[in-house]
């Protein structure tokens, strides 16, 4: 029974050691009190005090719910297993489903793995002796130990589980610690090698370090005999002499009270000469002491504290524990026998000490330092503040009170802390006059005796404001309405609670209005000066007085402001009076207040007079009357005074400046800006003269005499005058008329031209005239009849009028009708060229026009000359245009190469020229040796990813490559490519469709090439240059990124000419009919179209004579045929003729009769043309020295007659050479040739 009880008690103590918990809540979380190491596994258990059933619990760390993972798992309800790391250190709690929550418990984790350390009191086992091994583990509570020994032939585990082991056998020893709850096994410790002595003499010396004052006995033993034998002792090789610190009590022993000088190597020697091995004796300076530590100094409610007693070199030490329960009591031992464990778990408060004791050699340390452990009792300390105001002000009296729940009043002592500094106090801590130094965090606790106390109370934070607060008085209105009242509100800033308010009227030093002591607002109906202040507490603590608030009481009388004189606008310098009238208020008892723009004015009189008003007097004026200090009227309505900063000026207007014969004109004087009250003063001649007294008026007047007139306005008393008006000259008109003319009289005038405006007086006779001009332009004409402008500009545009005035008379003409002059910006010439591309023998037509076409122009024509060193062209006049041409067109004959042209127009004397037109080009694809352009690769279309180069060749070392995109400006290679020498490499990442050509330093143009760079998926590969008639040509369709898998269509001039799977179009012998636009189509994709030009083959020179002969013959024959046809118009419509035919097999001639049917010639205007055919046979004969087969040549003429109004007939002659025979075979036929002749019919033909 006794053993069972002890076992239960032991389990309880172990559970308390491992999982201490508090008694204050129904939920208890069991957390180890000792420190864990990384890698340890621990199970936290949540238990409910009131039930034995398993309940689901959730676990929290530092207030956050713990999520399950590989290092945090729950195997059963109410348990959490953790494989700890440093991040798991913190405060844990658990909560059941019914809301019951445990207190927080701390789990401590130390970085690194827990290790075991093995030490030995010595490493050599003396003869017949043993060695003590000690296995140490950090925080050893609950640990047991495993021991291992290794010899040369055996390795195994020993069974004892104590932390020390006494051995008498040599070997290599290790140990490790293990604990079942929570389960931990340390790695194996360091190795310690223990040897058995190998000589007959053995000296026993402690393995551990001794301290000064320790006593140690060195024993010298003989292995082979049991007899006592005399031995001598040596230190560091020298014989030790006996003294009071070195003495021998029996033979073979040496007792030493050690000091630092005794440290060294010792040996012993018997009389028979047997000598031991040297052994080291280690001595440390100072006395050996014991140190007592605790894992904490306060025992939580229902928990425990672990004490640890430490001694340096603790091998062989046992420990004694002592507890003192009060300062007056003595210490008592906690156990009967000395214990080997260096730690002890306690659950009672007290002052604890310990000491170490060792038997061999015998040594007892002094008592350790004292550690005071306080036990926490279940009573709870509560701290309250009285009065409990959220903010305390300097000078107030407050009390902090500490109450112990369920603890009575008499047995407790109290401890207080402020900002963690202890202060002395009873259960109440009273502060008579608080200051800022009293601010801080206060806590308290109760102490039942020296070593048991409550936990600290919750913190109360006391904040003492550094300044005495001030009351703030507010009124919902400063004026008490008639028969009403206003609300006054007193408050304390900064805001806090507990205040009552004291109200004062008049002086703040007077007694408060006792009837008005309140905690909230009051209402008052009397005028006067009011104050307030707040007070609270006992004795009353007062705030500062509020600022005063003056309350005025309104009377029913009404104030009205009037302006005299009451003009809508007042001007600087006038005199005005503002008057304040109190309705039904009498005169003598009132004082007055004025305000302008809400700023009080100093005057207190009924009238506010301003002698010379300025703009500074402008503003809003109000007034009110005051009957006594606190009784007054409402403010009057506002009257707004606006003072113009400038003196106004009179403006004089006449309905006509010329008085008709026998008539009069009306003069009107007004003041700007407009206002009322003005009368007008009129003057004739000089404005300094006396006014026309008969004409003082408030409105217009009529005058019938010419002269210079003035006026000004005046108003007020004294009279305030405006500025004089500008003068107006009135003239008596005569019968003559003025006209404005323009020379030269062109419909449109351009900037830079020279013009003359002339004022002509019709029927002016020989009278001498003076002239006056008016214009809306910037021009300021003189008084001459002509206004010449050498270089007109847009600023001269406007309306011009003039009139004449007879010298020495006051009569003049009427103003002329307005003449509108419009000056257009610089004239611009625009050139067009036709055609754009040259064909053989064609002429080039240039057309020049002036933008905004007008009359009088002559046109000048130029050819551009390139200069690669400059970005521009120089211009050379074309023949016959040095003086300009009247026609706006010019024909250039014989142009065969690419060329550029400009034009400009001129007119007037001196000549005024327009700007040069933009250069326009006619392009030729023909090569010539002096300047040529080649494209690589040689095709017209390219992808944006292709590399395209343009090369210039010819009789120059300096080149530039230019291009002309459609409807865009010219540019050279540096803009869209890279020029290297005479080669330009295009930047094909830019899309373009343009004509390219070269320009040489010698001023020549190359052939032109049309190149398209596109971003589509398909292009047509066609030659970039013209192909020669008769050559073979291959056109192909190319895709950017795929191959052709279906039908490919090729188009010539929008007609399909090939549709199959071939992606090439081959023409074996190209002819002129193959010229045109080509494109290809495949699977919904279509290439751009390109023009293929076909160049005719040049003919031998000897054929020119037959051509001329043929043309002449045709012309004669055509005339004869026409006459015959007319003559036989009504005869038979059938005609037969014979044509000689030469057989290919013989030289004989044969005649073949052929008949043709011809219709009568018909002439239809705008309709079809009749055609007459004539067949001629020409023969060429060689020299007679050799007989040759005559060549046959058939010439066909096609005569087309036009409508009746046509002036030309054209004959188309086809010449065909038959092949020659050579060596029995026919020679190939010559190519067909076409000739044109121009026939001009005469009137005798009846056409």
């Amino acid at each position: 029974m006794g053993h069972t009880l002890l076992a239960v008690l032991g389990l309880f103590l172990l559970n308390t050691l491992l999982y201490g918990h508090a008694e204050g809540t129904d939920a208890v979380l069991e957390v180890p009190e000792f420190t864990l190491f990384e890698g340890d596994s621990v199970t936290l258990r949540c238990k409910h005090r009131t039930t034995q059933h398993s309940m689901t619990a959730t676990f929290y760390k530092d207030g956050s719910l713990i999520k399950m993972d590989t290092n945090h798992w729950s195997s059963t309800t109410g348990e959490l297993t953790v494989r700890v790391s440093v991040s798991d250190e913190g405060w844990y709690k658990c909560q059941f489903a019914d809301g019951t929550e445990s207190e927080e418990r701390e789990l401590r984790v130390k970085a690194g793995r827990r290790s075991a350390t093995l030490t030995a009191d010595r490493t050599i086992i003396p003869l017949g002796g043993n060695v003590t091994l000690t296995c140490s583990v950090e925080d050893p509570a609950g640990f047991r130990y495993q021991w291992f020994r290794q010899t040369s032939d055996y390795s195994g585990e020993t069974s004892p589980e104590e932390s020390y082991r006494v051995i008498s056998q040599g070997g290599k020893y290790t140990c490790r610690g293990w604990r079942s709850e929570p389960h931990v096994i340390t790695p194996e410790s360091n190795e310690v090698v223990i040897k058995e002595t190998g000589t007959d003499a053995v000296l026993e010396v402690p393995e551990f370090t001794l301290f000064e004052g320790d006593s140690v006995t060195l024993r010298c033993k003989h292995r082979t005999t049991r007899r006592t034998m005399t031995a001598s002792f040596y230190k560091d090789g020298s014989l030790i002499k006996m003294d009071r610190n070195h003495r021998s009590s029996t033979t073979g022993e040496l007792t030493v009270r050690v000091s630092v000088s005794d440290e060294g190597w010792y040996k012993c020697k018997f009389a028979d000469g047997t000598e031991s091995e040297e052994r080291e004796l280690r001595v440390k300076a100072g006395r050996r002491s014991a140190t007592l530590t605790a894992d904490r100094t306060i025992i939580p409610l229902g928990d425990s504290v672990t004490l640890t007693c430490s001694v340096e070199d603790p091998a062989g030490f046992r420990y004694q524990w002592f507890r003192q329960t009060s300062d007056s009591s003595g210490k008592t031992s906690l156990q009967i026998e000395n214990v080997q464990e260096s730690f002890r778990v306690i659950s009672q408060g007290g002052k604890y000490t310990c000491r170490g004791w060792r038997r061999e050699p015998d040594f007892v340390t002094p008592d350790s330092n004292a550690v005071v452990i306080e036990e926490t009792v279940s009573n709870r300390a509560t701290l309250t503040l009285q009065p409990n105001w959220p903010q305390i002000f300097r000078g107030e009296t407050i009390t902090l009170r500490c109450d112990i729940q369920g603890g009575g009043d008499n047995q407790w002592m109290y401890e207080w802390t402020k900002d963690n500094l202890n202060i002395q106090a009873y259960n109440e801590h009273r502060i008579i006059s608080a200051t800022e130094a009293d601010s801080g965090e206060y806590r308290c606790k109760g102490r039942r005796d020296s070593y048991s106390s409550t936990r600290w109370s919750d913190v109360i934070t006391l904040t003492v404001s550094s300044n005495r607060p001030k009351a703030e008085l507010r009124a919902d209105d400063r004026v008490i309405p008639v028969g009403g009242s206003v609300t006054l509100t007193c408050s304390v800033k900064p805001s806090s609670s507990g205040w009552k308010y004291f109200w004062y009227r008049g002086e703040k030093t007077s007694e408060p209005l006792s009837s008005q002591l309140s905690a909230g607002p009051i209402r008052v109906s009397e005028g006067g000066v009011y104050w307030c202040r707040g007070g609270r507490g006992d004795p009353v603590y007062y705030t500062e007085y509020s600022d005063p608030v003056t309350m005025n009481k309104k009377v029913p009388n009404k104030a009205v402001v009037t302006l005299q004189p009451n003009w809508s606008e007042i001007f600087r310098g006038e005199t005005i009076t503002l008057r304040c009238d109190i309705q039904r208020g009498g005169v003598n008892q009132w004082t007055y207040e004025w305000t302008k723009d809400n700023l009080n004015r100093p005057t207190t009189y009924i009238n506010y007079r301003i002698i010379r008003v300025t703009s500074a007097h402008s503003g809003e004026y109000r007034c009110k009357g005051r009957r006594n200090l606190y009784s007054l009227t409402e403010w009057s309505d506002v009257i707004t005074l606006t003072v113009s900063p400038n003196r106004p000026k009179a403006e004089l207007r006449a309905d006509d400046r010329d008085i008709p014969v026998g008539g009069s004109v009306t003069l009107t004087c007004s003041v700007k800006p407009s206002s009322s009250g003005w009368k007008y003063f009129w003057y004739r001649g000089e404005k300094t003269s006396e006014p026309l007294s008969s004409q003082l008026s408030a409105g217009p007047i009529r005058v019938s005499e010419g002269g210079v007139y003035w006026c000004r306005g005046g108003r007020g008393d004294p009279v305030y005058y405006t500025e004089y008006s500008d003068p107006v000259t009135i003239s008596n008109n005569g019968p003559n008329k003025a006209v404005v003319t323009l020379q030269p009289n062109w419909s449109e005038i351009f900037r830079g031209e020279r013009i003359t405006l002339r004022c002509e007086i019709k029927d002016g006779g020989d009278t001498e005239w003076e002239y006056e001009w008016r214009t809306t332009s910037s021009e300021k004409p003189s008084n001459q009849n002509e206004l010449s402008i050498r270089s007109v500009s847009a600023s001269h545009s406007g309306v011009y009028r003039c009139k004449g005035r007879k010298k020495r008379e006051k009569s003049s003409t009427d103003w002329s009708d307005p003449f509108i002059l419009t000056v257009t910006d610089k004239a611009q010439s625009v050139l067009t060229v036709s055609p754009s591309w040259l064909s053989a023998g064609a002429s080039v037509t240039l057309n020049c026009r002036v933008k905004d076409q007008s009359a009088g122009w002559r046109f000048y024509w130029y050819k551009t000359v390139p200069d690669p060193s400059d970005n521009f062209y120089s211009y050379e006049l074309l023949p016959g245009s040095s003086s300009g041409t009247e026609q706006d067109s010019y024909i250039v004959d014989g142009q065969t190469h690419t060329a550029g042209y400009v034009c400009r127009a001129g007119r007037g004397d001196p000549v005024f020229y327009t700007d040069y037109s933009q250069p326009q080009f006619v392009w030729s694809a023909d090569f010539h040796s002096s300047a040529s352009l080649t494209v690589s690769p040689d095709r017209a279309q390219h992808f944006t990813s292709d590399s395209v180069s343009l090369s210039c060749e010819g009789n120059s070392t300096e080149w530039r490559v230019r291009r002309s995109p459609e409807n865009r400006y010219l540019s050279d290679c540096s803009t869209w490519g890279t020029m290297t020498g005479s080669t330009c490499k295009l930047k094909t990442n830019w899309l373009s469709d343009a004509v390219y050509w070269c320009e040489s330093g010698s001023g020549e143009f190359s052939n032109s090439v049309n190149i398209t760079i596109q971003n589509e998926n398909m292009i047509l590969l066609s030659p970039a240059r013209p192909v020669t008639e008769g050559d073979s040509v291959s056109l192909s369709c190319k895709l950017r990124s795929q191959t052709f898998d279906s039908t490919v269509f090729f188009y010539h001039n929008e007609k399909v000419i090939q549709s199959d799977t071939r992606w090439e179009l081959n023409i074996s012998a190209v002819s002129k009919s193959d010229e045109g636009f080509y494109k290809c189509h495949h699977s919904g994709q279509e290439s751009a179209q390109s023009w293929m030009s076909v160049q005719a083959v040049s003919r031998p020179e000897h054929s020119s004579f037959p051509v001329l002969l043929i043309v002449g013959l045709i012309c004669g024959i055509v005339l004869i045929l026409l006459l015959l046809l007319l003559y036989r118009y009504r005869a038979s419509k059938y005609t037969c003729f014979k044509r000689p035919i030469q057989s290919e097999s013989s030289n004989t001639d044969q005649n073949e009769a052929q008949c043709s049917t011809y219709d009568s010639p018909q002439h239809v205007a705008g309709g079809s043309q009749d055609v007459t055919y004539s067949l001629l046979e020409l023969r060429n004969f060689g020299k007679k020295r050799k007989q040759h087969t005559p060549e046959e040549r058939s010439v066909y003429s096609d005569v087309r007659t036009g409508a009746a109004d046509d002036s030309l007939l054209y004959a188309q002659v086809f010449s065909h050479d038959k092949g020659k025979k050579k060596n029995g075979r026919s020679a190939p036929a010559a190519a067909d040739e076409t000739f044109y002749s121009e026939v001009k019919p005469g009137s005798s033909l009846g056409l």
Side-chain angles (χ1 to χ4, degrees), residues 128 323 410 415 708 801 1016:
R323 172 174 174 256
N410 300 322
E415 292 184 16
V708 178
R801 300 195 333 174
E1016 303 299 329

Side-chain angles (χ1 to χ4, degrees), residues 28 61 97 110 177 375 436 446 543 598 622 667 720 756 772 792 818 924 930 984 1020 1062 1114 1150 1187:
V28 177
K61 174 183 175 290
K110 189 173 183 180
E375 180 183 355
E436 308 93 277
T543 67
N598 295 322
R622 295 189 303 168
L667 301 180
Y720 173 80
T756 300
E772 184 178 350
V792 72
S924 171
S930 59
C984 175
L1020 175 71
R1062 292 176 297 167
I1114 289 174
Q1150 298 179 2
Q1187 186 174 358

Side-chain angles (χ1 to χ4, degrees), residues 972-1175:
D972 57 24
C973 178
S974 61
T975 304
W976 35 263
T978 303
M979 192 78 185
T980 304
S982 61
T983 299
C984 175
K985 185 174 182 180
L986 272 65
K987 296 177 181 176
T988 56
N989 55 328
W990 294 351
L991 303 180
S992 67
D993 185 1
V995 179
Y996 295 79
W997 68 90
C998 295
E999 297 176 355
S1000 71
S1002 57
E1004 295 184 272
F1005 292 91
S1006 73
N1007 56 299
S1008 301
V1009 177
N1010 201 334
I1011 295 176
T1012 300
I1013 297 174
Q1014 56 187 7
N1015 198 27
E1016 303 299 329
N1017 193 41
M1018 185 166 65
I1019 61 173
L1020 175 71
L1021 303 185
S1022 62
R1025 299 179 296 177
V1027 295
T1028 304
E1029 193 173 20
D1031 290 350
S1032 63
V1033 176
S1034 177
L1035 306 181
S1036 60
C1037 201
K1038 183 178 180 181
L1039 295 173
R1040 183 190 294 269
S1041 58
Q1042 63 190 74
T1043 58
F1044 295 97
D1045 54 3
S1046 59
T1047 303
V1048 179
F1049 297 87
F1050 284 89
Y1051 294 81
H1052 177 219
N1053 294 332
E1054 299 297 335
K1055 293 182 179 180
V1056 177
I1057 59 175
Q1058 177 177 301
S1059 60
D1060 52 34
T1061 57
R1062 292 176 297 167
W1063 52 272
E1064 283 188 326
L1065 173 65
N1066 295 313
I1067 305 174
S1068 59
V1070 71
S1071 64
K1072 196 69 176 176
S1073 62
D1074 294 317
E1075 189 172 68
F1077 285 104
Y1078 288 83
K1079 67 180 179 180
C1080 61
H1081 181 96
H1082 171 261
S1083 296
Q1085 301 180 75
E1086 188 173 86
S1087 72
Q1089 63 180 3
S1090 289
W1091 174 270
M1092 187 178 75
S1093 178
V1094 179
Q1095 196 172 31
V1097 178
S1098 59
R1099 302 298 177 185
E1101 293 182 0
H1102 71 273
S1103 63
S1104 60
F1105 174 75
V1107 170
L1108 295 175
L1109 178 61
I1110 290 170
V1111 170
L1113 290 173
I1114 289 174
C1115 291
I1117 292 171
V1118 168
L1119 291 174
I1120 294 171
L1121 289 173
L1122 291 173
L1123 291 173
L1124 290 174
L1125 289 171
L1126 292 173
Y1127 178 75
R1128 300 181 63 184
Y1129 177 72
R1130 299 185 181 275
S1132 175
K1133 295 182 179 180
Y1134 298 93
T1135 302
C1136 296
F1137 62 92
K1138 292 184 178 181
R1139 179 170 65 90
I1141 300 176
Q1142 182 176 0
S1143 173
E1144 294 183 0
S1145 59
S1146 64
N1147 294 331
T1148 61
D1149 293 338
Q1150 298 179 2
N1151 292 329
E1152 177 180 340
Q1154 293 184 353
C1155 294
S1156 301
T1157 300
Y1158 299 91
D1159 291 333
S1160 300
Q1162 300 290 329
H1163 297 282
V1164 181
S1168 61
Q1169 297 176 339
D1170 294 332
V1171 179
T1172 302
Y1173 292 89
S1174 174
L1175 177 63

